[in-house]
Amino acid sequence: MPDWLAHFTREQPVGWTFLVIASVATLGLWLGQFRWRGVGLGSAGVLFAGIILGHFGVVIDPGWLGLIRDLGLILFVYTIGLQVGPGFFNSLKKQGLALNSLAAGIVLSGGALAVLIGRLAGFDIALTAGLFAGATTNTPALGAVQEAVKNLPHVSPEHLALPALGYAIAYPFGIVGILLSMILLRSVFRIDVAAEMAARAAQSGVGEKLLRQAVTVTNRSINGRTIRAIPGIHENGVIVARILPATGEGVMNVRAETKIHLGDILLAVGMKKALADFVCVVGEISRQDLLESGGRLTSQRVLVTARKAYGRTLRELALAERFDVTITRLTRADLELPASGTLRLQFGDMLFIVGGQKNVADAAKALGNSVQQLSQTNFIPVFIGIGLGILAGVIPLQIPGIPSAIRLGLAGGPLLVAILLSHLGRVGPVVWYMPSSANLALRELGIILFLSCVGLKAGGHFVESLMSGVGWQWMGAGAVITLLPLLIAGWIGRVFLKQSFTSLCGVLAGSMTDPPALAFANALAGSDAPAVSYATVYPLTMLLRIVAAQVLVLLFAS
């Protein structure tokens, strides 16, 4: 090392630390850009860049290393919790229950298999837990393992490095194994993906979009009834958006109490089958264009950004009664939903509102409709949430059968708190919302900082361990931990649960919390269908992997 650089490392430890982190991040992100058939290392390239520099003797002060690593871990898991929280509890209902049970089985069987292999091979539990995290490509689980190992009594620096070594050695096949399991399942069951998707779509109507249909009232039995009293309208989820009275008054807005008469033309919004049932009850299809007729009504897409609006149902807001408007549908992320009264609003939802121009404007004002507010990040809730998460992580939890108390730590505490807070949406004036762009930026920053430090810490021993005979044993153990639970779960899901191939692929990718695997599944299916089951199992799987990794260490450390 040149004298000037040696002087810099001694006299400017902070500058040297961030120079090293920046170098690791730059090299790692560059490595992560290389892809083979759409699959690459992504952010995990930072881990291997840290290992490379660490192998060549690049080090930073251990105190700074620990600080930056923990900061990165907190940012990463907290932003993940904010992302998955709103849909976490809904994912445990109905169809989601079967998919989450399958994904949970993959996690738990993988943990049990890791312990069995570790005991048979005589691996240290810190290494075994690291292999478990790497074989499932789950970085927060690695953070949980390191937290648990750090809290064990009489831990040496060499012992602390074992989880990162196991993670790095098992990680490459962890990526390949999930892709291989999908290919094997398709071959073993001889699945024609396109034909299966077409058959299931025709049977279930999954992915169907909301449609509009003008309907003339010809059924004498409903003459004089209110919109609310039309048989089957609530069960089918149909919304009547506008009415053109037979009296010639022009297109008018509709409320639940609006009465209909023979000859009136209704504009209904709903799914294809629901609209067909609605036509059978009401009368016959009309070619009248109620979107253009009369010019008395207008429609607008309105963003929910007002604090008084989110967290409340449409019925509680009573927009129809207050402003004489009709809400026909709601868009949340990429999902379009009928606007039922029990639908609870979230920050950033988009409502499609129909009514008079001034009425729609007043309703939009009540809902906020601020694009600027949607893109702003309020950091007060962020720091409150992180603080609560850290406190939750240090609370000891005594579980029967485990010799020492379990603490969620810096990996589990912020994650769990973020899930709960984002599910609540708001507490008083505090809104637990973060724009997706800010969430992604902080999440990426967190994982880069964390993996940089983990790689630098493991780099000094990685090549030596890998090239030794025991390194190949570790790699083989990691491959078994990756592949066997996935194949068993895929077989159970196909044979007993009768899941489609696209749904299974989403579950397998989600159980590994692996976005590259989801991209591969989408390519294999030729659609985005696997993303639905991926999103369903992702929240529970992420939490389970973090807790399971920590339990492995605390339960078997003795």
Side-chain angles (χ1 to χ4, degrees):
M1 181 182 296
D3 292 341
W4 65 268
L5 188 57
H7 177 77
F8 174 65
T9 62
R10 291 192 304 270
E11 300 299 324
Q12 297 289 338
V14 175
W16 169 250
T17 297
F18 283 98
L19 176 62
V20 172
I21 296 296
S23 302
V24 172
T26 303
L27 176 60
L29 293 174
W30 177 74
L31 290 174
Q33 291 178 351
F34 290 95
R35 295 185 176 275
W36 181 77
R37 295 190 177 183
V39 178
L41 290 174
S43 299
V46 178
L47 172 69
F48 293 98
I51 288 173
I52 293 171
L53 294 187
H55 172 69
F56 288 105
V58 178
V59 295
I60 59 178
D61 179 81
W64 280 104
L65 185 78
L67 173 63
I68 296 173
R69 180 197 63 208
D70 291 347
L71 172 62
L73 180 63
I74 291 170
L75 288 177
F76 180 56
V77 297
Y78 184 76
T79 49
I80 282 180
L82 290 181
Q83 178 196 17
V84 304
F88 179 76
F89 295 99
N90 286 335
S91 71
L92 304 180
K93 301 176 182 177
K94 297 181 181 179
Q95 174 69 4
L97 184 60
L99 298 181
N100 274 290
S101 299
L102 197 60
I106 295 174
V107 177
L108 298 178
S109 62
L113 187 60
V115 171
L116 177 62
I117 293 174
R119 286 293 179 93
L120 293 176
F123 296 159
D124 187 280
I125 189 60
L127 173 68
T128 300
L131 290 173
F132 170 69
T136 55
T137 67
N138 191 276
T139 305
L142 172 62
V145 170
Q146 291 187 319
E147 280 284 301
V149 172
K150 187 170 60 176
N151 292 326
L152 293 176
H154 313 299
V155 179
S156 65
E158 292 76 15
H159 199 70
L160 283 172
L162 286 177
L165 285 173
Y167 179 91
I169 287 176
Y171 187 92
F173 190 84
I175 295 177
V176 175
I178 174 63
L179 312 184
L180 184 60
S181 66
M182 296 179 192
I183 295 172
L184 287 174
L185 286 172
R186 186 180 65 173
S187 299
V188 169
F189 289 103
R190 298 178 180 179
I191 300 170
D192 185 334
V193 181
E196 180 180 88
M197 287 184 62
R200 288 184 178 258
Q203 181 180 5
S204 64
V206 173
E208 188 179 358
K209 294 184 178 180
L210 290 173
L211 303 174
R212 288 190 297 264
Q213 181 63 64
V215 183
T216 302
V217 179
T218 60
N219 185 352
R220 295 184 178 276
S221 66
I222 64 172
N223 184 44
R225 290 195 183 189
T226 62
I227 294 291
R228 180 187 287 118
I230 296 176
I233 189 170
H234 299 295
E235 293 79 0
N236 289 329
V238 172
I239 303 292
V240 177
R242 304 182 182 186
I243 182 172
L244 178 61
T247 55
E249 299 174 47
V251 179
M252 301 173 60
N253 200 19
V254 174
R255 297 175 61 179
E257 297 79 14
T258 301
K259 289 187 176 182
I260 59 175
H261 302 88
L262 293 176
D264 290 349
I265 301 177
L266 310 179
L267 180 64
V269 179
M271 300 298 184
K272 184 177 180 180
K273 185 179 183 304
L275 286 177
D277 294 341
F278 182 79
V279 171
C280 291
V281 171
V282 172
E284 59 188 33
I285 293 175
S286 171
R287 295 185 178 180
Q288 183 74 44
D289 186 357
L290 270 65
L291 293 177
E292 300 295 336
S293 299
R296 295 177 53 186
L297 297 182
T298 185
S299 57
Q300 183 179 342
R301 289 178 172 85
V302 176
L303 290 168
V304 179
T305 58
R307 291 185 177 181
K308 294 181 179 180
Y310 35 87
R312 301 175 67 183
T313 65
L314 289 174
R315 182 173 292 119
E316 290 170 345
L317 289 174
L319 296 174
E321 291 76 11
R322 292 164 58 196
F323 303 108
D324 193 22
V325 296
T326 301
I327 301 173
T328 61
R329 56 190 180 274
L330 177 147
T331 302
R332 178 174 296 162
D334 294 327
L335 186 63
E336 194 174 64
L337 304 168
S340 65
T342 58
L343 197 60
R344 194 169 298 278
L345 298 182
Q346 296 179 10
F347 189 89
D349 284 349
M350 181 180 291
L351 300 178
F352 191 83
I353 301 180
V354 179
Q357 187 171 355
K358 184 180 184 304
N359 295 2
V360 170
D362 291 342
K365 184 177 180 180
L367 291 170
N369 199 33
S370 172
V371 177
Q372 182 181 5
Q373 188 176 353
L374 188 66
S375 61
Q376 289 179 341
T377 302
N378 185 356
F379 279 98
I380 293 177
V382 174
F383 286 109
I384 292 175
I386 288 176
L388 292 174
I390 293 172
L391 290 176
V394 300
I395 297 174
L397 304 173
Q398 195 67 52
I399 298 178
I402 298 180
S404 57
I406 286 182
R407 290 176 173 82
L408 293 175
L410 297 181
L415 175 70
L416 183 60
V417 167
I419 288 175
L420 294 176
L421 293 180
S422 61
H423 173 72
L424 292 174
R426 60 177 291 173
V427 176
V430 182
V431 179
W432 310 104
Y433 171 83
M434 182 183 294
S436 57
S437 57
N439 185 294
L440 181 60
L442 288 178
R443 193 189 328 157
E444 287 296 308
L445 175 62
I447 193 62
I448 288 169
L449 294 178
F450 176 75
L451 290 179
S452 295
C453 296
V454 170
L456 288 169
K457 181 77 174 178
H461 306 281
F462 180 78
V463 174
E464 177 185 350
S465 301
L466 180 62
M467 300 310 295
S468 66
V470 71
W472 291 104
Q473 293 180 24
W474 297 353
M475 187 175 293
V480 175
I481 296 170
T482 297
L483 204 54
L484 195 56
L486 291 173
L487 292 177
I488 293 175
W491 177 74
I492 291 174
R494 187 71 182 180
V495 174
F496 295 101
L497 300 182
K498 307 300 181 184
Q499 294 294 319
S500 68
F501 179 70
T502 55
S503 180
L504 278 179
C505 285
V507 170
L508 297 184
S511 71
M512 305 287 273
T513 61
D514 189 354
L518 175 61
F520 181 82
N522 288 339
L524 206 61
S527 76
D528 294 333
V532 176
S533 51
Y534 178 94
T536 300
V537 304
Y538 182 93
L540 178 64
T541 301
M542 179 64 76
L543 185 62
L544 270 181
R545 289 212 177 277
I546 291 173
V547 174
Q550 196 174 36
V551 168
L552 287 185
V553 176
L554 297 179
L555 190 59
F556 298 101
S558 59

